[in-house]
Amino acid sequence: MNSTETTTNDVPLIRLEHIDKAYRLGSELQVPVLKDINLEIRSGEYVALTGASGSGKSTLMNILGCLDRPTGGKYFLDGTEVGSASNDVRALIRNRKIGFVFQSFNLLPRTTALDNVIMPLQYTNESLSAKEAKKRGEEMLCRVGLAERMHHHPSQLSGGQQQRVAIARALINHPPVLFADEPTGNLDSKTSVDVMKMFDELHTQGITIILVTHSFEVAHYAKRIIQLKDGEIVSGVYGEQESAL
């Protein structure tokens, strides 16, 4: 059994128990991707999931982000078992509890930064007025340092600015956990440093961050590194933060 579990009396924000994931090829053959994963992540942690291509880190992120279901085992998010939840329930969980930042910024090209940020609010049950949604979006863009770029379109923004818009959008519903999947993959080295410093700031504000990356340099910005190999956790390290880029 592979295990990298935190030691705390608090109920963890995330708990995985004996998680397996296999994909079917043809009528009978199943290819195992994750094997007996046991993991706990506390609220407020900054964790990196790392490993080479094919290690299973993206599959694990998809399960943690309620984008996919495990083949076996249990996944508890905020005390609730969500691994076996229906598609509708998982969609609701993603909207309320999870923010995503991807390598490709996934911004609507003909929409301003502000409108990109407030778009997820259309799918909540908060019943915010247009004025309230705009105010929240403006606050989020100020939070990521884009107060002067709210009404710019993505083509008018640098790569780093576009990623900051994506971060603001991911935070608009105040999710307890933020997933960042290769967030510097499309950025140059200097801009990557700026974006990783942004994640540092968000972490100091109490946001739980799970960073998925193949780069050990990027991973060392996290406070805890979990390494996967061939679908198994092979190490879980706590360490001092390093500006490794």
Side-chain angles (χ1 to χ4, degrees):
M1 179 174 68
N2 295 299
S3 179
T4 173
E5 300 184 353
T6 61
T7 54
T8 178
N9 294 325
D10 298 331
V11 175
L13 177 64
I14 287 172
R15 185 169 84 250
L16 301 181
E17 297 181 354
H18 307 292
I19 289 293
D20 296 314
K21 181 64 181 180
Y23 291 103
R24 184 179 297 277
L25 292 179
S27 59
E28 296 182 3
L29 179 64
Q30 286 198 341
V31 179
V33 180
L34 297 177
K35 309 164 189 174
D36 197 29
I37 299 291
N38 293 275
L39 173 66
E40 290 186 358
I41 297 174
R42 297 190 304 267
S43 178
E45 279 200 272
Y46 187 173
V47 176
L49 300 177
T50 190
S53 178
S55 62
K57 63 184 184 299
S58 294
T59 300
L60 181 56
M61 189 211 73
N62 287 341
I63 290 174
L64 291 171
C66 292
L67 296 169
D68 199 0
R69 291 192 186 91
T71 306
K74 294 184 178 180
Y75 169 26
F76 294 88
L77 176 62
D78 210 11
T80 301
E81 206 288 313
V82 299
S84 58
S86 68
N87 290 338
D88 288 344
V89 169
R90 288 188 299 126
L92 189 62
I93 291 168
R94 289 195 301 271
N95 186 259
R96 292 181 176 178
K97 294 182 178 292
I98 298 171
F100 292 100
V101 178
F102 297 100
Q103 177 177 338
S104 55
F105 315 125
N106 294 335
L107 302 178
L108 298 177
R110 298 182 181 180
T111 303
T112 65
L114 179 59
D115 286 337
N116 266 285
V117 168
I118 65 178
M119 181 182 61
L121 294 175
Q122 301 174 19
Y123 306 101
T124 69
N125 61 355
E126 289 191 71
S127 300
L128 295 176
S129 67
K131 182 178 180 180
E132 290 170 329
K134 180 181 178 183
K135 182 174 184 294
R136 184 183 292 187
E138 290 171 344
E139 290 171 350
M140 286 298 166
L141 284 168
C142 289
R143 187 174 182 178
V144 299
L146 290 179
E148 304 301 321
R149 296 289 185 270
M150 292 186 185
H151 302 293
H152 287 62
H153 289 75
S155 62
Q156 299 171 305
L157 302 173
S158 68
Q161 290 171 337
Q162 289 184 62
Q163 191 62 290
R164 285 175 180 256
V165 173
I167 292 169
R169 180 183 57 192
L171 296 173
I172 193 68
N173 284 325
H174 305 303
V177 59
L178 177 65
F179 287 94
D181 186 9
E182 302 285 5
T184 63
N186 286 337
L187 305 176
D188 60 44
S189 296
K190 182 181 182 301
T191 306
S192 295
V193 171
D194 292 339
V195 168
M196 295 312 299
K197 287 180 178 178
M198 169 60 59
F199 285 115
D200 283 347
E201 294 170 11
L202 295 173
H203 173 245
T204 61
Q205 295 167 14
I207 294 174
T208 305
I209 299 174
I210 299 177
L211 173 69
V212 180
T213 181
H214 71 279
S215 168
F216 284 97
E217 293 181 339
V218 172
H220 275 86
Y221 275 83
K223 300 298 185 181
R224 180 183 175 202
I225 300 173
I226 297 170
Q227 185 178 359
L228 286 93
K229 182 178 180 181
D230 297 329
E232 299 180 287
I233 293 176
V234 295
S235 67
V237 180
Y238 288 88
E240 293 297 320
Q241 183 181 19
E242 301 177 10
S243 296
L245 281 170

